[in-house]
């Protein structure tokens, strides 16, 4: 049984930083793609960042490029999202997700490509 458990959300002032963690269990994730999405009130869930568990390539939404960094720790089976220079528009519930297949050059963009989701963690950025 796959489990993804996010942590690290909270309240931060604009310009501050947070690091989200996604602890993965129940599978060997070496062939999986891992993604972060977010959903603000009244808005659709949107892609934030992704990477294949194995491999160097990372992908980011334009709105977070240069501010957010996705990484993983094999020993801890954990994926991270380091968020710097946070802005009020980054306020949302952030979700970790895992995709069993990563075919195509844009596998990471659609939420429907992901098979497993965490419960979400709230990030609130005050101005």
């Amino acid at each position: 049984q796959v489990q993804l458990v996010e942590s690290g959300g909270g309240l931060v002032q604009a310009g501050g930083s947070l690091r989200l963690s996604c602890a993965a269990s129940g599978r060997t994730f070496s062939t999986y793609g891992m993604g972060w999405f977010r959903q603000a009130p009244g808005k659709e869930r949107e892609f934030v960042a992704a990477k294949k568990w194995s491999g160097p390539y990372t992908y980011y939404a334009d709105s977070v490029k240069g501010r957010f960094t996705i990484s993983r720790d094999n020993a801890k089976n954990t994926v991270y999202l380091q968020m710097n220079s946070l802005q009020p528009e980054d306020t949302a519930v952030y979700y970790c997700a895992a995709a069993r297949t990563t075919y195509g050059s844009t596998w990471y963009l659609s939420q429907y490509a992901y098979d497993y989701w965490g419960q979400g963690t709230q990030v609130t950025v005050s101005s």
Side-chain angles (χ1 to χ4, degrees):
Q1 179 180 349
V2 173
Q3 266 200 314
L4 303 174
V5 180
E6 302 103 330
S7 60
L11 173 64
V12 64
Q13 287 189 330
S17 298
L18 283 173
R19 188 178 78 159
L20 305 183
S21 300
C22 172
S25 62
R27 284 286 189 277
T28 300
F29 289 91
S30 59
T31 61
Y32 278 55
M34 303 299 295
W36 286 95
F37 284 73
R38 66 186 181 187
Q39 188 166 20
K43 294 189 176 182
E44 292 188 355
R45 190 170 297 188
E46 65 174 0
F47 167 75
V48 175
K51 75 180 305 300
K52 292 184 181 181
W53 191 278
S54 300
Y57 300 107
T58 55
Y59 310 94
Y60 298 96
D62 287 344
S63 58
V64 307
K65 205 170 290 184
R67 300 188 297 125
F68 290 13
T69 303
I70 185 171
S71 63
R72 54 100 174 90
D73 183 327
N74 285 338
K76 296 183 178 180
N77 233 29
T78 298
V79 176
Y80 301 99
L81 184 68
Q82 177 66 44
M83 306 186 295
N84 298 329
S85 302
L86 283 162
Q87 299 302 315
E89 52 266 35
D90 295 316
T91 295
V93 177
Y94 283 71
Y95 297 92
C96 173
R100 287 178 294 182
T101 58
T102 57
Y103 299 134
S105 60
T106 59
W107 62 268
Y108 51 90
L109 279 175
S110 170
Q111 60 176 312
Y112 302 108
Y114 295 81
D115 303 284
Y116 305 102
W117 291 84
Q119 82 287 354
T121 185
Q122 176 70 47
V123 171
T124 303
V125 184
S126 63
S127 57

